[in-house]
Amino acid sequence: MDLSAKLKDVSLLQTKCFVHGKWVSAASDKTFAVDNPSTLQHIASCPEFDPKDTEAAVAAAQDAFKTFRHVPARTRARLLRRWYELMMEHMDDLASIITAENGKPLADSRTEVAYAASFFEWFSEEAPRIYGDTIEASNPSCRLRTVKEPIGVCGLIAPWNFPAAMITRKVGPALAAGCTVVVKAPGEAPLTALALAELARRAGIPDGVVNIITALENTAAVGQVLTTHPVIKKVSFTGSTGVGKLLMNQCSITLKKLSFELGGNAPFIVFDDANLAVALRGLMASKFRISGQTCVCANRILVQRAVYDTFVQMVVDEVRQFRVGDGYVQSTTHGPLIHQRAVQKVATHVQDAVARGARVLLGGEPLHSLGPNYFGITVLADMKPGMKLCYEETFGPVAAFFPFDTEEEAIALANDSDVGLAGYFFSKDANRCYRVAEALEVGMVGVNVGALSDPVAPFGGVKQSGFGREGSKYGIDEFVITKMVMTGIDD
Ligand code: SIN
């Protein structure tokens, strides 16, 4: 496809890596293809970086850190602010690039650009507000204070589902703190990251502060460098729990500071005292956002028996109105999945559930007529514990309903998972709202709301969903070290 024909500013379509302020190919000159997941058409080719290329990017970030760490916070704030403004100015082009390589509908891509840019806006405001403490020392002839220093060069590994926002959520706090970064762009969707690099250049971010590299086949080898290189002091990763465990193992050799946002399997509980219209709205936001491909998507929908049939029918009626198709078509509400492996995984979850007694009320099959990456919007009733979907994240457009009788049962079902990223519940009982929010073993709770994402809110999980918080006032903590300074005074 000719993506440049869709752009007002064609220089946002960059296809080389961005290292030390320059556009560079892999030393081997190898590239990989970036295809549109809707049509499978070829969009562009990007450099297949290898470990040596990656080391050059780390060296660029190391060099830039020597000066960037001393750049005043107010200047860092202005750079981030300018980058935010450029993203907003180029929203339509950035959205077109996201839709081309990720497949999500253009309206969702625009929402993502605004969400992504908001992390730069937020952290531009946080940069001048990084405070240390003064503490009364136990020894009266000493004075004690803490200073927050940038941790150093950071390796940031980003996923394909939000090709802009998952990068800005990491880069924003890193730069606000005075760190420099090497970003490994997602192999499935690297062009958005490279467009962000072009805007970083225009914003005046000094050379080497932001380095963006691409690889597909070499992803593991590039990850190996970012997780073992002694110059890198911090790794932030968003992706699956399985890969997170591997990276953590690698990082242990040099004991890097880590923040990991890994898989979820969000419970979504509807109590019989809930406002069902509000719960329906929440479920549409949580379950079907970008066709179910977010870590905070509802995966297990638990509905109290008295309202079970009514609520399930409301959902079926609502999702019948969705229009699945190409993201560039204006009427499309839901796009394709990212690749055929994703379709296969969703199909396996549906088949497993059906084989164990679930009922398909809608969908349940790939939509081959639209292309190999499409799966129909699916509603499954009569789900039971033990089905595959209960312990694996589906990452697709499947609303799976489990009936329950009591609050205790709902909490036990919700917490019956190794992961704990987001959880949602709906109730009008104020006491229950406190009780259940406290009982859920997750990092983020939505009470009578299905959309949690906000740059001012701490995003992150518990259990095997990882650790560390992104966004919010806590986001900067992940990129600083607290240095204690004890000063003896003569008296
Ligand atoms: C994710 O899927 O990892 C991020 C979702 C969000 O930020 O809303």
Side-chain angles (χ1 to χ4, degrees):
M1 73 179 281
D2 183 7
L3 176 56
S4 59
K6 293 187 183 295
L7 304 181
K8 291 178 223 152
D9 180 344
V10 290
S11 58
L12 288 178
L13 183 55
Q14 295 291 343
T15 55
K16 291 190 172 173
C17 293
F18 188 67
V19 176
H20 213 268
K22 302 213 163 34
W23 297 108
V24 295
S25 305
S28 65
D29 256 338
K30 273 197 188 150
T31 60
F32 63 92
V34 184
D35 298 334
N36 176 308
S38 169
T39 60
L40 305 192
Q41 284 170 323
H42 179 72
I43 310 171
S45 297
C46 285
E48 185 73 76
F49 257 34
D50 66 13
K52 264 205 137 27
D53 300 315
T54 307
E55 280 165 18
V58 174
Q62 181 183 25
D63 190 40
F65 183 61
K66 290 180 201 139
T67 44
F68 194 65
R69 62 173 305 162
H70 301 299
V71 167
R74 180 53 63 192
T75 308
R76 302 198 302 271
R78 289 195 183 113
L79 291 170
L80 281 172
R81 174 86 204 171
R82 186 66 198 127
W83 203 356
Y84 155 76
E85 288 163 355
L86 286 167
M87 284 186 72
M88 296 303 282
E89 280 166 30
H90 293 281
M91 173 177 286
D92 287 347
D93 281 350
L94 291 173
S96 275
I97 296 172
I98 293 174
T99 293
E101 61 181 358
N102 168 288
K104 65 177 78 171
L106 265 181
D108 286 345
S109 297
R110 283 198 198 93
T111 305
E112 182 184 345
V113 175
Y115 177 47
S118 73
F119 287 104
F120 287 160
E121 182 185 38
W122 171 261
F123 284 109
S124 74
E125 292 153 357
E126 289 296 281
R129 295 182 173 79
I130 302 173
Y131 300 108
D133 306 300
T134 55
I135 305 168
E136 188 170 309
S138 303
N139 182 341
S141 61
C142 286
R143 298 293 177 267
L144 184 52
R145 67 189 171 98
T146 64
V147 282
K148 298 278 174 72
E149 295 185 347
I151 189 163
V153 177
C154 304
L156 310 178
I157 306 175
W160 51 263
N161 60 346
F162 291 90
M166 296 304 100
I167 290 178
T168 58
R169 188 154 85 180
K170 297 177 192 308
V171 173
L175 266 58
C179 298
T180 60
V181 302
V182 178
V183 180
K184 162 64 178 68
E188 297 84 350
L191 300 170
T192 307
L194 299 175
L196 293 182
E198 167 61 17
L199 296 181
R201 194 187 62 71
R202 294 184 200 176
I205 310 271
D207 291 352
V209 170
V210 174
N211 304 279
I212 301 200
I213 65 174
T214 64
L216 185 64
E217 258 179 35
N218 290 345
T219 290
V222 166
Q224 172 92 24
V225 174
L226 296 180
T227 50
T228 54
H229 200 298
V231 161
I232 293 193
K233 298 295 184 280
K234 154 89 192 180
V235 169
S236 174
F237 167 68
T238 296
S240 72
T241 296
V243 174
K245 288 180 183 177
L246 198 89
L247 297 181
M248 187 164 172
N249 227 341
Q250 292 170 188
C251 286
S252 70
I253 299 165
T254 49
L255 281 180
K256 299 189 194 313
K257 181 162 169 158
L258 305 178
S259 36
F260 279 5
E261 197 259 273
L262 308 177
N265 191 326
F268 186 105
I269 309 171
V270 182
F271 288 103
D272 60 11
D273 60 6
N275 178 330
L276 294 188
V278 171
L280 180 66
R281 200 161 61 231
L283 186 62
M284 294 305 111
S286 161
K287 173 65 256 182
F288 293 106
R289 184 169 165 224
I290 62 160
S291 301
Q293 301 175 101
T294 89
C295 299
V296 289
C297 278
N299 212 46
R300 296 164 293 148
I301 308 164
L302 316 174
V303 185
Q304 202 154 12
R305 214 169 293 269
V307 294
Y308 182 82
D309 289 336
T310 309
F311 188 67
V312 172
Q313 191 56 48
M314 284 167 74
V315 173
V316 170
D317 293 344
E318 188 73 17
V319 301
R320 271 192 205 286
Q321 296 169 38
F322 289 177
R323 290 285 162 266
V324 180
D326 188 275
Y328 284 116
V329 175
Q330 197 161 10
S331 56
T332 294
T333 57
H334 292 79
L337 301 186
I338 190 70
H339 43 43
Q340 284 167 50
R341 291 192 307 286
V343 173
Q344 193 48 48
K345 182 176 193 197
V346 175
T348 306
H349 281 196
V350 173
Q351 284 153 11
D352 170 79
V354 171
R356 294 164 191 249
R359 276 183 302 134
V360 180
L361 302 185
L362 200 71
E365 302 281 348
L367 293 178
H368 292 307
S369 59
L370 292 177
N373 293 346
Y374 281 92
F375 199 92
I377 302 289
T378 298
V379 179
L380 299 178
D382 304 345
M383 296 290 295
K384 291 185 200 70
M387 292 173 172
K388 233 182 199 335
L389 179 145
C390 299
Y391 52 88
E392 278 180 24
E393 192 176 22
T394 307
F395 238 61
V398 178
F401 289 91
F402 300 71
F404 71 88
D405 291 299
T406 64
E407 183 180 307
E408 293 68 30
E409 187 191 350
I411 291 169
L413 282 170
N415 288 342
D416 185 15
S417 174
D418 287 340
V419 291
L421 191 60
Y424 310 84
F425 68 92
F426 290 73
S427 166
K428 283 195 284 201
D429 177 335
N431 289 332
R432 171 175 273 164
C433 286
Y434 281 98
R435 217 168 38 232
V436 177
E438 285 164 21
L440 288 179
E441 296 169 358
V442 294
M444 297 172 282
V445 184
V447 185
N448 293 321
V449 68
L452 298 171
S453 307
D454 185 335
V456 311
F459 193 106
V462 298
K463 303 203 273 192
Q464 294 187 35
S465 288
F467 37 75
R469 292 295 177 263
E470 296 193 300
S472 81
K473 67 173 183 174
Y474 303 107
I476 294 250
D477 294 346
E478 307 291 337
F479 294 90
V480 294
I481 47 170
T482 301
K483 181 183 275 181
M484 181 277 272
V485 183
M486 174 91 77
T487 308
I489 53 165
D490 292 335
D491 48 4

